Amino acid sequence: MNLYQELRRRGVSSLGEVGAHLRLSPEQYERCRNELTDLGLIVPTNPAQHGARSELRAGDGNGDGDGNGGDGGDGGGPQQDGDTVAVIDPEIALLRLLHREREQLREHLDEADRAYGTLETLAGAFLRAGSLTRSDADVELLSDYRRIQQVLEDITDVIQHSLSSMHPTSLVREVAERVLSRDRRQIENGVRVRAMYSERVISTPEVAELLRRRVETGVEVRITPAVPMTMIIADAQFAMVPVDPAEPMAGAVLARGPALVRSYIALYEHCWHTASPYGDGSTPEQGGDGLSEQQRAALTMLASGMKDEKIARGLGVSLRTVSRMLSELMQEMGATSRFEAGVRAHRLGWVD
């Protein structure tokens, strides 16, 4: 900036005089002065700047006070206003600016701490895991789906130790992505995450992919022949179960406090110990009820020894689609070859 460079060359000098020398318009002069002042690159040295400036403007006006007046009003530039300033080196100005910003940041952090303390106090026993004593117990009926989802998010945000769940049905894709995101966040925070699924829902490629990704994330997954109901337990403090297991959309019951939750924990642990870890040899064999007609036809042709090209022609789909479909089915059955997949499909009763 020309004004700043000229001020540095002159040292302590009148800002108005330099502005007039550079023929700055009143608008340019005001803008430059404000910017230099805000950045701390200039500081006033005239005592009038520190408290008597209003008196200087409205006072004697005889021009003989501190010698900062002058005749620099020619040329159409800004009128000299007696602003004597000292120029500050950029390095010093930057350090001062950083110090000022740091002080403001500290003030913001203090405000945030006070706000957090207020919210924590308001939340009280409703959300904070561990805040309920052994004698505390509370039940809430939740009928609105959005309210149920919000409560789940609130609970999982404060989990410290464990999150256990069981699911008799599969999850839609949008919910699955949210579950995976929550898994990663919980496991990164040191939370043990367990999940049980009914064996009848894992035959679909979407669910198989979800379980594979959950296991890769660090979730302990088990499969059981029957899951009595949807259940979510957090830190032995919160349990959410359906109002009516036969009508999942009828709403949910949120139980708070160990006095209520321990019964659900006992049921969960019983189901957990009778279930099989997902992916090992003891996983229960599925009946293939979740197979589509296209998948079943592809398996039938595979078991008869057909090549992928012929299967694609028979189904009227691309070779890539057949390859992906068979790969997913092999992964689901735990088969390591096409021949083994055909044998297992016969043994499981998935093909005639």
Side-chain angles (χ1 to χ4, degrees):
M1 180 182 298
N2 292 337
L3 180 59
Y4 179 67
Q5 294 297 336
E6 182 65 20
L7 286 171
R8 291 198 68 184
R9 188 183 67 81
R10 296 190 181 197
V12 177
S13 57
S14 168
L15 187 62
E17 180 182 340
V18 176
H21 173 74
L22 296 176
R23 299 183 181 279
L24 299 178
S25 67
E27 293 78 11
Q28 291 174 321
Y29 171 77
E30 288 298 327
R31 178 174 55 80
C32 292
R33 181 175 62 176
N34 292 337
E35 289 182 358
L36 293 176
T37 302
D38 291 341
L39 293 174
L41 292 173
I42 59 174
V43 294
T45 60
N46 189 342
Q49 299 291 119
H50 301 281
R53 184 169 184 175
S54 60
E55 297 176 5
L56 181 65
R57 288 180 173 175
D60 53 22
N62 57 14
D64 61 353
D66 55 13
N68 290 323
D71 58 357
D74 59 344
Q79 296 296 318
Q80 297 178 19
D81 57 2
D83 287 346
T84 302
V85 298
V87 181
I88 306 300
D89 288 338
E91 295 83 357
I92 297 176
L94 177 60
L95 290 175
R96 290 178 176 174
L97 183 62
L98 291 176
H99 177 75
R100 184 176 64 188
E101 293 295 329
R102 183 173 56 187
E103 292 302 318
Q104 292 179 351
L105 179 59
R106 286 175 177 172
E107 293 178 2
H108 292 321
L109 289 176
D110 289 341
E111 292 177 0
D113 287 339
R114 289 192 293 269
Y116 180 82
T118 301
L119 290 174
E120 190 176 36
T121 301
L122 291 174
F126 180 71
L127 290 180
R128 282 191 300 170
S131 62
L132 296 174
T133 65
R134 297 183 64 86
S135 61
D136 287 332
D138 183 43
V139 174
E140 181 180 357
L141 180 63
L142 307 173
S143 58
D144 183 74
Y145 176 80
R146 291 171 297 181
R147 170 63 177 157
I148 293 173
Q149 293 303 312
Q150 184 59 54
V151 169
L152 285 175
E153 293 295 328
D154 291 342
I155 290 175
T156 54
D157 280 343
V158 297
I159 291 176
Q160 298 178 1
H161 306 293
S162 64
L163 175 63
S164 305
S165 62
M166 60 171 62
H167 309 277
T169 59
S170 59
L171 302 174
V172 296
R173 181 170 301 176
E174 293 78 7
V175 175
E177 291 301 322
R178 188 161 63 242
V179 168
L180 290 168
S181 176
R182 187 169 59 205
D183 287 342
R184 287 188 288 269
R185 185 172 68 251
Q186 297 298 338
I187 291 174
E188 287 174 358
N189 291 333
V191 175
R192 182 190 183 191
V193 182
R194 297 186 295 172
M196 270 187 292
Y197 290 87
S198 170
E199 66 180 35
R200 68 184 180 85
V201 306
I202 67 171
S203 60
T204 61
E206 292 81 3
V207 176
E209 176 64 12
L210 168 63
L211 299 192
R212 182 189 67 80
R213 293 175 65 184
R214 296 198 76 182
V215 170
E216 287 181 351
T217 303
V219 178
E220 301 174 44
V221 177
R222 290 195 177 187
I223 307 302
T224 183
V227 173
M229 69 184 78
T230 299
M231 181 185 298
I232 298 173
I233 303 174
D235 275 351
Q237 295 287 343
F238 303 94
M240 183 176 286
V241 295
V243 172
D244 182 357
E247 295 290 339
M249 301 305 294
V253 174
L254 174 63
R256 303 187 189 93
L260 292 175
V261 176
R262 64 169 64 100
S263 296
Y264 294 113
I265 294 176
L267 173 60
Y268 188 91
E269 294 298 337
H270 172 75
C271 295
W272 179 260
H273 290 297
T274 58
S276 302
Y278 179 71
D280 71 0
S282 60
T283 301
E285 296 181 345
Q286 298 83 32
D289 293 338
L291 292 180
S292 67
E293 291 300 323
Q294 189 181 62
Q295 290 173 321
R296 195 178 299 277
L299 274 178
T300 301
M301 288 185 278
L302 175 68
S304 66
M306 288 187 182
K307 300 295 184 181
D308 288 3
E309 293 81 358
K310 193 171 183 179
I311 295 176
R313 289 196 297 271
L315 295 177
V317 298
S318 68
L319 181 61
R320 178 180 297 180
T321 298
V322 169
S323 179
R324 176 181 56 79
M325 184 189 309
L326 294 179
S327 177
E328 291 172 347
L329 290 170
M330 288 174 59
Q331 182 180 12
E332 182 179 334
M333 290 185 292
T336 58
S337 67
R338 301 295 177 92
F339 176 77
E340 182 182 358
V343 172
R344 287 184 62 83
H346 274 297
R347 182 167 61 85
L348 293 171
W350 288 11
V351 297
D352 297 331

